Amino acid sequence: MGEKRATLGGRLSAVLVAAGSAVGLGNIWRFPYIAGENGGGAFLIIYIACILLLGVPVLLAEFTVGRHTHLNSVGAYRTLSKRWAFLGYNSVISSLLILGFYFVVSGWTLEYFITSLSGSISEYTHSAVNAERFAEFTTNPLRPIVCTVLFALLTHAVIALGVQKGIERSSKLMMPILFVMLIVIAARSIALPFGLEGVEFFLKPDFSKVTAKTFLDAMGQAFFSLSIGLGCMITYSSYFNDKTNLQKTAFNVIALDTLVAVLAGLAIFPAVFSADIEPTSGPSLVFVTLPSIFNTMTFGPFWSALFFLLLILAALTSTISLHEVLTAYLHEERGLSRTKAAWVVTIVTTLLACASSLSLGVWGDFKICGLNLFDSLDFVTANILLPLGGLLTSIFAGWVLDRKILRTEISDHGSMRCRLFGLLVVLLRYVCPALLLWIFLYNLGIFRF
Ligand code: TRP
């Protein structure tokens, strides 16, 4: 290809861009409700174990594949091994399916932001009423779709600005603000009456709630939250320059992502217990509990608007990364101009997202294995495609990829020491595949001991 490929600026850009992809609705919306459904504290421990044993090696493997080839995910695998190009296609399909529900939830954040700005959020004082309003809104056939389309266009606008001016700049601006905001909200939430009960629920492990599905959920959440398993980090790291320190970047991204998830838990569970609602109430958790916390604060609508604005930004940096996987693929592999590629992606993903939004209301009778379209997109991607992608990525990096390439990239061409390289190889070759396979089979009921 004649044109020069974009690269990111300094070290900080690599961390913030990758963290921008990782930190998103997965941390603030998905993590708390999945943890709530799986008994709180015990889930947190299993989740962190998944991050360390599976997240670290797979993230490093994706960084290696991306930066070594400087190509989109399909091109990257194809260059390294023709037979493994299919793994790149898994990434294209999964990104499309994730955007199919992610745009919908992102649209909800837009609606709640507008409600906060207009001041009418001050009527959202009781969680029971908030729950009703939330249900009324999400099942409405029109309004959530307008929000979804708006959000998709917002994502499109950033992608259209390009890698440096769009993706890099937006992440650098938004990530630090998000972090500070979450700390303030968590502190406020813990101070609520009965708030400490929520902290206890979240931090004190109760293993009696742990089932096989807890492991599957924790693993799926770890992959989803770190944006790994579908080549998103391959696409992003293909824009890293050769000076980017891969080990440090991976460490920082994982630390930031986990911290944001824990802070989100500390913001939400105290509020749940204070308002006496069920911590197991599912995807509505954030939208139902947080408005009541804001209403206990002076200038409630202001805080609420600020929070939902930040949630929009967190979601946006993630939708951008998913969009970029598809845009880079169409542009580099299929020969579409970048502009055309971006439009095709925006239109196809928006149509899917509109269908999945309708599946929460008027199209609710259409079920796939007992789940509506929205829930099945979430389940199939997070609990099946991402871990499967992770399994294959670790097998690829551990067994197929030339060991020299792995070492060169992980050590940044020999300039970084990598004392734990041997451990990484063991994790990639044996531990990740075995653990992932075991969790899968266990959940299928095939392999229980
Ligand atoms: N990690 C993001 C979140 O937590 C979502 C996301 C962005 C993602 N890119 C991804 C998930 C790639 C899986 C794979 O919200």
Side-chain angles (χ1 to χ4, degrees), residues 56-71 76-77 80 233-238 240 242 246-247 250 393 396-398 401-413 421 424 428:
V56 176
V58 174
L59 181 61
L60 283 170
E62 290 204 7
F63 276 177
T64 299
V65 171
R67 194 186 48 190
H68 185 73
T69 54
H70 291 296
L71 283 171
Y77 278 114
L80 292 169
M233 288 301 188
I234 295 183
T235 308
Y236 264 15
S237 58
S238 72
F240 288 179
D242 284 338
L246 290 194
Q247 293 176 51
T393 306
F396 177 78
L401 186 69
D402 184 350
R403 188 68 47 80
K404 271 198 227 113
I405 295 181
L406 190 62
R407 188 182 275 282
T408 310
E409 291 301 329
I410 300 291
S411 68
D412 303 313
H413 294 271
F421 188 73
L424 175 67
L428 284 172

Side-chain angles (χ1 to χ4, degrees), residues 18-30 62 94-95 98 101-102 220-233 257 314-315 317-323 325 381-382 386:
S21 170
V23 174
L25 296 174
N27 306 61
I28 305 169
W29 161 72
R30 200 172 186 280
E62 290 204 7
S94 310
S95 303
I98 291 183
F101 73 92
Y102 208 98
Q221 176 59 24
F223 277 86
F224 188 86
S225 189
L226 286 177
S227 303
I228 53 177
L230 67 64
C232 190
M233 288 301 188
D257 189 68
T317 48
S318 300
T319 52
I320 291 167
S321 69
L322 289 158
H323 197 298
V325 172
T381 51
L386 294 184

Side-chain angles (χ1 to χ4, degrees), residues 31-49:
F31 175 80
Y33 89 75
I34 302 263
E37 286 173 347
N38 283 288
F43 181 82
L44 183 63
I45 293 180
I46 298 170
Y47 173 74
I48 291 178

Side-chain angles (χ1 to χ4, degrees), residues 364-376:
D365 291 338
F366 171 70
K367 295 249 159 60
I368 307 164
C369 298
L371 295 176
N372 61 35
L373 180 63
F374 178 94
D375 290 333
S376 44

Side-chain angles (χ1 to χ4, degrees), residues 4-9 161-170:
K4 195 171 169 293
R5 217 164 175 279
T7 47
L8 298 172
L161 283 173
V163 174
Q164 281 143 340
K165 283 203 189 122
I167 301 178
E168 183 173 356
R169 255 205 225 156
S170 57

Side-chain angles (χ1 to χ4, degrees), residues 103-310:
F103 269 152
V104 178
V105 184
S106 305
W108 299 345
T109 65
L110 213 52
E111 162 79 10
Y112 274 71
F113 172 62
I114 296 166
T115 312
S116 309
L117 271 192
S118 72
S120 43
I121 198 94
S122 57
E123 292 155 23
Y124 286 53
T125 41
H126 293 292
S127 296
V129 182
N130 295 358
E132 259 168 46
R133 291 205 166 131
F134 177 78
E136 218 174 84
F137 162 65
T138 50
T139 50
N140 182 299
L142 189 66
R143 215 174 147 91
I145 289 202
V146 174
C147 295
T148 299
V149 172
L150 278 179
F151 205 92
L153 290 176
L154 214 58
T155 308
H156 183 92
V158 180
I159 290 287
L161 283 173
V163 174
Q164 281 143 340
K165 283 203 189 122
I167 301 178
E168 183 173 356
R169 255 205 225 156
S170 57
S171 307
K172 273 180 143 169
L173 179 72
M174 298 188 296
M175 295 309 295
I177 313 178
L178 174 75
F179 205 61
V180 174
M181 255 322 276
L182 255 182
I183 294 176
V184 173
I185 295 172
R188 173 67 211 153
S189 180
I190 293 169
L192 288 171
F194 304 105
L196 286 176
E197 275 180 36
V199 177
E200 191 179 322
F201 171 79
F202 183 49
L203 296 182
K204 205 169 147 200
D206 169 10
F207 286 98
S208 66
K209 301 263 170 47
V210 173
T211 61
K213 184 147 181 302
T214 312
F215 286 88
L216 186 70
D217 280 345
M219 174 178 74
Q221 176 59 24
F223 277 86
F224 188 86
S225 189
L226 286 177
S227 303
I228 53 177
L230 67 64
C232 190
M233 288 301 188
I234 295 183
T235 308
Y236 264 15
S237 58
S238 72
Y239 300 123
F240 288 179
N241 62 36
D242 284 338
K243 287 197 214 91
T244 307
N245 182 326
L246 290 194
Q247 293 176 51
K248 273 201 187 142
T249 306
F251 175 80
N252 287 328
V253 169
I254 289 172
L256 277 174
D257 189 68
T258 310
L259 204 58
V260 171
V262 171
L263 280 173
L266 288 175
I268 283 148
F269 289 115
V272 167
F273 280 79
S274 168
D276 201 21
I277 50 178
E278 285 299 314
T280 50
S281 56
S284 64
L285 201 58
V286 170
F287 295 92
V288 171
T289 48
L290 285 187
S292 8
I293 308 186
F294 293 125
N295 280 322
T296 66
M297 299 159 83
T298 2
F299 307 120
F302 167 77
W303 291 110
S304 175
L306 196 58
F307 176 77
F308 283 110
L309 176 65
L310 291 166

